[in-house]
Amino acid sequence: VDNRVGNLGDTVQISQQGDGKIEVIAHTQFSGRYLKYLTKKFLKKQQLRDWLRVVSTSQGVYELRFFNVVSDDADEDDD
């Protein structure tokens, strides 16, 4: 906010809703794409980006989901 890092002030509120849910309420113009970018940046810093992805489930709602990892055991047995 106001071109300063770590300065959320009164315009952005973050609260935990339980069960691993976090709610971000912005009282100013806040792009969903920017929120997605910040989330990806945080996941990369925490070394979680390889397992989680950010998905938009509806307008203004984003969720973190695990990547679907399919084991290709049948292909490895052919070698």
Side-chain angles (χ1 to χ4, degrees):
V1 179
D2 296 331
N3 295 326
R4 293 184 182 166
V5 176
N7 180 26
L8 295 179
D10 295 332
T11 58
V12 179
Q13 297 174 350
I14 300 174
S15 61
Q16 186 173 359
Q17 297 296 322
D19 294 334
K21 292 184 180 182
I22 297 173
E23 183 178 38
V24 178
I25 300 173
H27 297 288
T28 61
Q29 190 74 13
F30 199 79
S31 170
R33 184 176 290 179
Y34 185 60
L35 178 63
K36 192 172 180 179
Y37 164 76
L38 290 175
T39 305
K40 287 180 180 181
K41 186 176 176 182
F42 174 79
L43 290 174
K44 186 171 184 177
K45 187 175 182 181
Q46 300 298 322
Q47 298 177 349
L48 296 172
R49 184 74 177 106
D50 295 334
W51 295 283
L52 295 171
R53 62 187 175 127
V54 182
V55 178
S56 176
T57 56
S58 63
Q59 186 175 4
V61 178
Y62 294 90
E63 292 182 356
L64 296 177
R65 293 190 181 170
F66 287 100
F67 279 110
N68 291 332
V69 179
V70 178
S71 178
D72 292 334
D73 292 335
D75 293 337
E76 292 175 5
D77 293 339
D78 293 339
D79 292 337

